[in-house]
Amino acid sequence: METSQSVVPRTPSTTARHAPTAECSAPPGVACDPESGCDVVTVPARQGLEAVDILRRGACEAVGPVLHDDGGDTLGFVVPPGTAAAWDVPGSTCTETDGRGLSLDLNPEPPVEGSDWLLPPGEADLATDPAVLRAALGEAARLIEAADNCR
């Protein structure tokens, strides 16, 4: 299993500078098959919950299955395979599953002990578009920073 994590801010791509719109960069419902699996982007729960709200309010159905750990510390967004190779969003990690431990059947058990589905497969698209997720996470971080600075 390979993990990619970034702690150094990089120049954002053009999709990260605007809110998610109907112009998604990948077709909705990108499939994850058992052979190649899907990757999982893990973020702090507060930022992840904000991002889920942003994605669900967007013009396109952009959010796929989302895992929530029982401790409440993180959310995991299911994204298409290959996302981990280029993931560079500070404060998050993207892990390749290689088809191990992640089943997206209609009623799957959570792949990690101590977690549960916030948005289970069957109630969400098959995978979240990484470009749209990147934009939503950026917007969520800005909203959280603004809220924290108002205190």
Side-chain angles (χ1 to χ4, degrees):
M1 188 180 303
E2 188 176 313
T3 300
S4 173
Q5 182 175 13
S6 177
V7 291
V8 179
R10 297 182 184 198
T11 304
S13 67
T14 57
T15 58
R17 292 187 177 164
H18 60 79
T21 67
E23 299 170 344
C24 299
S25 65
V30 174
C32 298
D33 67 59
E35 301 276 325
S36 62
C38 275
D39 293 351
V40 177
V41 172
T42 305
V43 299
R46 185 176 178 200
Q47 183 181 14
L49 290 170
E50 285 288 344
V52 167
D53 286 345
I54 291 164
L55 290 169
R56 293 186 100 182
R57 286 191 317 257
C60 65
E61 304 260 335
V63 65
V66 179
L67 282 164
H68 189 254
D69 71 353
D70 282 342
D73 294 337
T74 61
L75 287 186
F77 291 84
V78 175
V79 293
T83 301
W87 191 256
D88 63 352
V89 177
S92 67
T93 13
C94 189
T95 306
E96 292 179 355
T97 66
D98 297 325
R100 297 178 302 225
L102 182 62
S103 170
L104 295 179
D105 298 330
L106 288 180
N107 294 311
E109 289 296 316
V112 177
E113 189 176 328
S115 69
D116 202 359
W117 292 106
L118 178 67
L119 293 174
E123 289 183 23
D125 285 340
L126 296 177
T128 301
D129 177 344
V132 176
L133 178 59
R134 179 186 312 273
L137 289 172
E139 184 177 341
R142 290 186 295 277
L143 287 171
I144 290 167
E145 183 179 359
D148 288 350
N149 288 335
C150 287
R151 292 182 188 179

